[in-house]
Amino acid sequence: MAPPLAALAGIAVVHLRARAGRAAWLLPLAFAATAAWQVYIEAPYIGPGSAENWRFWLFVLLLGGSLLAVLGLAATIGFRWDGTVRHLLRRSAITLALLALLATPTAWALSTVIGQGNNVSAPAATIALFAPATELTDLRPRFGAMREVPPAKLLPFLEAHRQDETYLLATANSWLAAPLIITSGQAVMAMGGFTGRNPILTPEELADLVGKNQLRYVLLTEPDLIDRAFNAQIVQAPLADWVRTHGKPVDPAEWRGPVEPATPTTPRRRGGGFAQAQLYDLRPAPIS
């Protein structure tokens, strides 16, 4: 939605800038209302330390810049000025207002790529991600607690035992597939799509993939909050039953090892994450 909203905002500035008479007050009022809304949103994110952190100065830029811009625009409306001076003052005030109002959205947008502890599975924009791990934890995205960090031994194990299969691994959903793909750059199948409830495969099709040497390993997990919310465990049941019947469980000591403790920057998903998963080898078992 950002591009059309940005276009509408730009159109509004151009049209309101051309208004005269009483309608000329619409532009400073629009800037003031926008600034007030941003102040309301941003105030909780200043965090401890006040003037010692840059988020405080971002807040000052928003509040002070917008106030000066609104006063400057009001002055061009309420007082008579030489035409050239009025034009220069008006353009300067509008430029200052736009800079002040765009500073916070820019920081929010950058938080998705350079913020601390951002989530590749469900990215969310918030300047709370710029704060140290001990600050503003209550304002970090709730989905951040769903990020999964693959066990250190999993990818080396899979790559060591891979024999030209198309897929390095198959998982129930993209929450587990995504970090593996990003870490390894290899093809990993999400058998249930994004949430786990999209039936892209039948047990017969899964057997065919195994028979054609396109897939060997499948990672099954216990249902978690997301699985239950989307009834994904019901959709996945036929595939999971087939894997358990025809696959051989791999000793967790070979591919998982000790589970790293969760931290504020690497939280763990409740329920069906890697810590509760079981890896199955479909090569040794007969396929029916």
Side-chain angles (χ1 to χ4, degrees):
M1 293 180 64
L5 289 176
L8 288 173
I11 292 170
V13 170
V14 171
H15 280 270
L16 293 178
R17 181 185 174 188
R19 296 295 182 95
R22 292 184 177 180
W25 288 98
L26 290 175
L27 184 57
L29 288 176
F31 282 145
T34 304
W37 177 245
Q38 287 195 20
V39 167
Y40 172 77
I41 293 174
E42 188 179 342
Y45 294 86
I46 298 176
S50 296
E52 297 177 6
N53 68 64
W54 65 268
R55 296 187 309 279
F56 172 80
W57 295 108
L58 186 69
F59 187 80
V60 170
L61 172 61
L62 167 61
L63 190 59
S66 299
L67 180 60
L68 289 175
V70 169
L71 291 176
L73 285 173
T76 64
I77 299 171
F79 300 94
R80 292 185 178 182
W81 299 83
D82 175 75
T84 302
V85 175
R86 180 181 181 278
H87 179 70
L88 180 60
L89 180 59
R90 189 169 179 80
R91 289 191 62 176
S92 299
I94 292 174
T95 301
L96 178 59
L98 292 177
L99 289 174
L101 294 176
L102 288 175
T104 297
T106 299
W108 242 268
L110 289 175
S111 70
T112 61
V113 291
I114 62 176
Q116 299 184 39
N118 44 59
N119 186 348
V120 297
S121 300
T126 168
I127 57 172
L129 293 174
F130 287 115
T134 55
E135 294 181 15
L136 306 180
T137 53
D138 292 341
L139 296 173
R140 293 174 183 265
R142 291 183 182 274
F143 280 108
M146 299 172 62
R147 183 178 66 258
E148 285 293 334
V149 178
K153 298 174 66 174
L154 177 57
L155 287 175
F157 173 86
L158 294 172
E159 291 170 350
H161 292 80
R162 192 176 189 181
Q163 298 179 358
D164 299 323
E165 292 89 359
T166 304
Y167 298 97
L168 184 66
L169 178 70
T171 67
N173 53 52
S174 67
W175 298 100
L176 293 173
L180 292 168
I181 294 171
I182 292 171
T183 304
S184 69
Q186 303 295 322
V188 178
M189 180 191 301
M191 297 187 296
F194 182 64
T195 62
R197 67 169 300 171
N198 301 319
I200 66 170
L201 281 177
T202 64
E204 293 75 19
E205 291 170 331
L206 180 60
D208 187 56
L209 288 174
V210 176
K212 292 180 178 178
N213 198 36
Q214 295 184 21
L215 177 67
R216 177 176 180 179
Y217 290 100
V218 174
L219 190 72
L220 298 182
T221 65
E222 294 298 323
D224 65 1
L225 181 61
I226 294 297
D227 295 328
R228 295 188 182 96
F230 290 99
N231 292 322
Q233 73 273 21
I234 297 175
V235 176
Q236 292 286 316
L239 293 174
D241 291 342
W242 189 92
V243 170
R244 292 188 180 100
T245 300
H246 297 84
K248 177 183 177 181
V250 180
D251 185 355
E254 293 188 46
W255 63 271
R256 186 169 59 203
V259 177
E260 296 182 3
T263 68
T265 56
T266 58
R268 186 175 301 119
R269 223 173 140 183
R270 294 182 180 180
F274 288 113
Q276 291 79 30
Q278 176 60 59
L279 185 66
Y280 287 87
D281 186 351
L282 299 177
R283 179 72 51 79
I287 302 171
S288 61

